[in-house]
Amino acid sequence: MRENSVKPKAIYQKVMRKVEKLLETLESESIDSEIAEYQKQGKNKLDFLYQSLQETLQSLEKNAEWDVFTIAFYGETNAGKSTLIDILRILLNEKKKLQERDNYVKALDEFRQIELKIAELQNNLDNLEVINENKIQAYDNIIQELLLRKGVFETSLEEKQSRVNKLNYEMIHKVIFGFADFLKSIVKKLDEQKELDILNSDIANLDTQVEQLKKIILKNQEEIDDIELAYQNDRQYITNKILSLNVTLAGVEEKITENSDGKIVGDGRSDYTEKVSEYRINIGSEQFCVLDLPGIEGKEKIVQKEIDSAVEKAHVVFYVSGKATPPQKGNDESLGTIEKIRKQLKKQSEVYFVYNKRVKNPRQLSKELISVGESESLEVVDQVMQDTLGKQYMGHVLLSAYPALASIGNYWKSGFERSKKKFIEAFGSSDVILEYSKVAAFSKWMTTQLVDNVKYKIVKSNFRKVALSLSETRSNINEVSKSINLLERRLKSTLKDTSYQLDEIGGIFHQNLLNSMNNSINNFKSRLRKKVYSDIDREIDNEEFSDSIKKRTESEAKQLIEDFQRKVDKNSKEFENDMLEIVKKYERYVEDLLESYSDSVVFNFEFNPEINIKNNVHMAGAVTSIIGDILGVIFLAMNITNPVGWVVLALSILGGILSVGKKVRTYLDKDYRKSQQRKSADENIETVAIELRESLEGQIKNTVNPINKGVNVIKKEIEKSVSQVEVMAEVLKEVEDELKLMAIDIEQEGKFMYGND
């Protein structure tokens, strides 16, 4: 184990210092100020990647876990991540889960006790109602009997009263209409009076008895009212107690639901889990952490930050899937699962594919768990995952979490409760279900082999993430480098074509000067001959002929130089225009090429591909200046600004060769003299022309170097656009190579440190 003075947690700042130092080296002064400026531009192109790397390392530093081995359960929505985590929490006696299950048992016992009390009170309430009804019925019977007696008395009373009324009528009739009866009534009572006395006495007695019965009935009714009131009070008391207990029962039932197993399991809705849940489990003296991540197929804008932070924290990732098939690829519109895995898990040290087979019916569960076809399909999964993640992919695990959780969980009025009954009835015990579902074996493997040498795994994982962040930045720089290299090749190809065109028009310009010279000399010869012949036709003597040819040569020599100068000016202007057109065409092409490059290059990371080629020299002015230099050399060499010199040259050539022939014969024979003069004129004109041509050709040769020099100056100016991209490519390559070495060193350092903190 290699000793290191830097603690593992300091790796982030250590790396940032190295990267900053690397970028600082790019700012070292160059002998060539323009090259130094191009280097600076290349470094500026790295700023965005540096900022991105800095943010990544800061995020890793913030989210990294150095003390607790952390496992992330990652995967598709509704793949059963939470189901698997919940069964592991039960099997591995996670502290919070133990407390929940203990709370569940206590709450369930309390619930049952309250139910008994409510049942007892309800029974008391039922009994109270029966007793009350019985009491009321007894009093009601008495009242009914009294009412019957009262009715008999009242009927008798009515009859006696009716008899009294009748007797009173009869007695009045006798007294009024019978005098004897009237007298008799004075002496003694009539029979009717005697009967009336008896009846009145009976009526009085009956009235007394009726009143007594009324009082008794009222008293009994009051008793009934008292009984009803007492019943209502007792009933209300018991009802209130029942209501109070029901409220308590509802609270206890809520506790039961809160502490039931499986409550973290999704209900099939996308984004049921939007936050990362963390569970810490102790295995002997070691502790490890389980992270339950949101599904990667939901509203990723909501959950992406949570997923990224959890993945950065984790040292091992279980990619959980409900299908024994490779993750799906995406399309032009959206990333597929496989692309998300590549993007989000590529920095992990250990990634496992967990095939969580969906088993909801006992008939689906067997000792083998999966079919031959599923087994073959998992081999394809391994290959795809290996191709996607490389050596950090560790293989697949198969299990079925649902029946395991259903068999040993505590549930209250849920689908799990019904499933538990079905699975236990089918297999007899939860142990068999745990074995067949492979969850028991998975739990054992997690707590033995997986968590072995955790300190080493923690450091290795965290260092690897830093190394791969550097590698990712290097890869991004490489991607930029490739695009810039392609741009460089296109610029060089364009520069090569442009250089060839510049060389070509330089040669054409030189040839045009020669052609213009020949044309001017031919015109000189033609004009001179025509004028001399005209003089000869006037039958001049040889002396006049000699003076004529000298004067005519002098005049035409001046005309020759003026004509040639006009042609040189015209050729120079055409040369200048051609050079400007080629340069402008190059600039337009470079501009179009850069615009096309910026529009067509697409990176998988944030990057502005725009490159501004600096044009240090105004090309039109540069070309004009170079043409002036070339013309200066031409005119200086040929002394065109002083045509007299060329006249002297022509006359000196003429003076040395002027001859007309035999004087005697020419004197006697005019026609012969004319022919001899013409012959002499032709010879002298041709000789002067040849001498002038040789002199001009020699001088025109002196323009080759200034032409080439001028063309090369323009070439060097336009080469700067390529140099700028070349230097930028070199800067990127240098940083890319350094980051590659840095990433290798960091990953190796993580392997050697073994968690030495």
Side-chain angles (χ1 to χ4, degrees), residues 607-715:
F607 178 71
N608 178 12
E610 183 178 348
I611 296 177
N612 296 316
I613 298 295
K614 184 177 180 181
N615 189 2
N616 293 319
V617 178
H618 181 57
M619 284 297 170
V623 171
T624 302
S625 175
I626 290 165
I627 294 298
D629 293 343
I630 293 171
L631 291 179
V633 172
I634 295 172
F635 295 155
L636 180 63
M638 297 189 300
N639 197 21
I640 288 177
T641 56
N642 183 16
V644 176
W646 287 93
V647 172
V648 172
L649 175 64
L651 292 177
S652 66
I653 296 169
L654 185 67
I657 63 172
L658 185 61
S659 174
V660 180
K662 294 180 179 180
K663 293 183 178 180
V664 175
R665 188 174 179 182
T666 57
Y667 179 78
L668 295 175
D669 189 343
K670 294 179 180 179
D671 291 335
Y672 180 73
R673 185 178 66 239
K674 285 181 181 181
S675 68
Q676 287 297 309
Q677 286 176 346
R678 289 189 185 98
K679 181 179 178 182
S680 177
D682 289 342
E683 290 175 352
N684 282 282
I685 290 170
E686 189 63 37
T687 300
V688 170
I690 290 171
E691 290 292 331
L692 289 176
R693 178 178 283 109
E694 288 178 353
S695 179
L696 286 173
E697 282 180 345
Q699 298 303 328
I700 288 174
K701 285 181 180 178
N702 293 332
T703 66
V704 173
N705 287 336
I707 290 172
N708 291 339
K709 181 180 178 182
V711 169
N712 287 334
V713 169
I714 298 299
K715 284 183 182 179

Side-chain angles (χ1 to χ4, degrees), residues 395-406:
H396 71 264
V397 178
L398 61 95
L399 50 80
S400 182
Y402 184 85
L405 181 60

Side-chain angles (χ1 to χ4, degrees), residues 367-531:
K367 194 169 185 178
E368 298 302 324
L369 188 59
I370 63 172
S371 65
V372 174
E374 287 173 311
S375 180
E376 292 173 351
S377 182
L378 286 172
E379 292 179 6
V380 178
V381 170
D382 285 342
Q383 187 60 53
V384 171
M385 294 292 286
Q386 188 78 46
D387 294 341
T388 302
L389 297 174
K391 62 183 180 180
Q392 68 261 40
Y393 177 66
M394 310 305 291
H396 71 264
V397 178
L398 61 95
L399 50 80
S400 182
Y402 184 85
L405 181 60
S407 67
I408 65 172
N410 295 325
Y411 308 109
W412 181 256
K413 297 179 181 179
S414 69
F416 275 113
E417 186 177 21
R418 294 185 293 274
S419 294
K420 180 174 185 176
K421 183 178 180 182
K422 288 192 295 183
F423 277 101
I424 294 297
E425 286 177 353
F427 294 97
S429 72
S430 60
D431 291 338
V432 175
I433 298 170
L434 289 171
E435 179 188 352
Y436 283 13
S437 66
K438 310 295 183 186
V439 170
F442 178 71
S443 173
K444 183 177 181 182
W445 170 78
M446 272 188 63
T447 55
T448 53
Q449 298 177 41
L450 182 66
V451 297
D452 183 44
N453 201 5
V454 292
K455 281 294 182 183
Y456 166 67
K457 287 188 175 184
I458 289 173
V459 174
K460 177 186 173 184
S461 175
N462 289 340
F463 269 63
R464 176 181 170 80
K465 289 171 187 172
V466 174
L468 286 178
S469 296
L470 290 172
S471 295
E472 184 178 34
T473 302
R474 181 195 65 80
S475 176
N476 292 342
I477 293 174
N478 178 260
E479 194 174 337
V480 175
S481 293
K482 286 179 180 177
S483 71
I484 291 181
N485 288 337
L486 177 60
L487 176 64
E488 180 187 346
R489 288 196 295 272
R490 290 179 177 174
L491 285 171
K492 283 184 175 179
S493 175
T494 305
L495 176 62
K496 183 178 178 181
D497 292 341
T498 303
S499 297
Y500 174 78
Q501 292 175 31
L502 289 171
D503 289 336
E504 190 175 47
I505 65 165
I508 291 173
F509 177 46
H510 182 263
Q511 185 61 48
N512 285 341
L513 290 177
L514 291 173
N515 293 340
S516 296
M517 175 201 71
N518 289 326
N519 184 263
S520 295
I521 289 176
N522 288 336
N523 290 338
F524 162 79
K525 287 165 56 179
S526 178
R527 289 192 308 271
L528 181 57
R529 183 180 292 109
K530 184 177 180 181
K531 289 181 179 180

Side-chain angles (χ1 to χ4, degrees), residues 484 488 492 719 721-731:
I484 291 181
E488 180 187 346
K492 283 184 175 179
E719 281 174 0
S721 61
V722 178
S723 298
Q724 187 170 345
V725 177
E726 277 181 331
V727 172
M728 189 177 296
E730 289 172 3
V731 168

Side-chain angles (χ1 to χ4, degrees), residues 541-553:
D541 59 23
N542 287 339
E543 186 176 350
E544 288 176 320
F545 167 73
S546 179
D547 290 339
S548 172
I549 196 169
K550 287 179 181 179
K551 289 179 181 178
R552 297 295 188 187
T553 300

